[in-house]
Amino acid sequence: MRIGELAQRAGTTTRTLRYYESRGLLPARRAENGHRTYDEDDLRLLRQIRTLQDFGFGLEETRPFVDCLRAGHPAGDACPASLDVYRRKLAELDALIGRLESVRAEVAARLALATDTPAPRCAFGGTP
């Protein structure tokens, strides 16, 4: 298939595909007429990249998964390098969740303090 069809089937743009190609994530095969050519395996690579990016993985974090698929494995997470990326991402998410829980607790404490303290009164007897 040509680049436009691949982009359409993958739900992305030809510009994105060219970028992936420049980063070595997508093969740079050309037909005799110079047009880029792709196959179903390339679509599978793209779907893996897009899924991981939807989960918050950076483009470089997808590389081990792409390499795993290219090596002939049935899934991009069937290789040790991919599992390492999953582990690092989980640790990153756990740290982020911890920070968010801490911030949430601080905001809740401030709200409780703010609502338990009487509001200052204006000179004319109303609230500011």
Side-chain angles (χ1 to χ4, degrees):
M1 75 187 90
R2 292 184 46 186
I3 193 168
E5 181 183 351
L6 180 63
Q8 181 180 11
R9 290 182 63 190
T12 191
T13 65
T14 58
R15 182 177 180 183
T16 297
L17 298 183
R18 285 188 209 94
Y19 179 69
Y20 291 170
E21 182 182 306
S22 75
R23 300 297 303 259
L25 292 169
L26 200 58
R29 291 186 304 270
R30 301 259 181 185
E32 288 181 22
N33 62 6
H35 293 281
R36 289 173 171 87
T37 61
Y38 302 96
D39 58 25
E40 293 298 319
D41 288 337
D42 299 323
L43 181 59
R44 205 166 114 212
L45 293 177
L46 278 173
R47 287 185 174 148
Q48 177 75 79
I49 292 168
R50 304 280 297 171
T51 297
L52 291 169
Q53 286 189 308
D54 287 347
F55 292 159
F57 286 70
L59 190 57
E60 280 306 309
E61 290 175 310
T62 69
R63 189 174 299 280
F65 298 85
V66 169
D67 292 344
C68 191
L69 287 171
R70 282 186 178 159
H73 295 278
D77 56 8
C79 298
S82 302
L83 298 177
D84 288 343
V85 173
Y86 274 155
R87 287 183 188 100
R88 282 193 305 271
K89 183 56 78 175
L90 278 176
E92 179 185 312
L93 290 169
D94 287 342
L96 180 59
I97 289 168
R99 285 192 302 273
L100 288 173
E101 287 174 341
S102 176
V103 169
R104 187 195 184 287
E106 181 66 28
V107 169
R110 288 178 183 239
L111 174 62
L113 182 62
T115 56
D116 288 343
T117 305
R121 300 197 53 81
C122 292
F124 298 109
T127 57

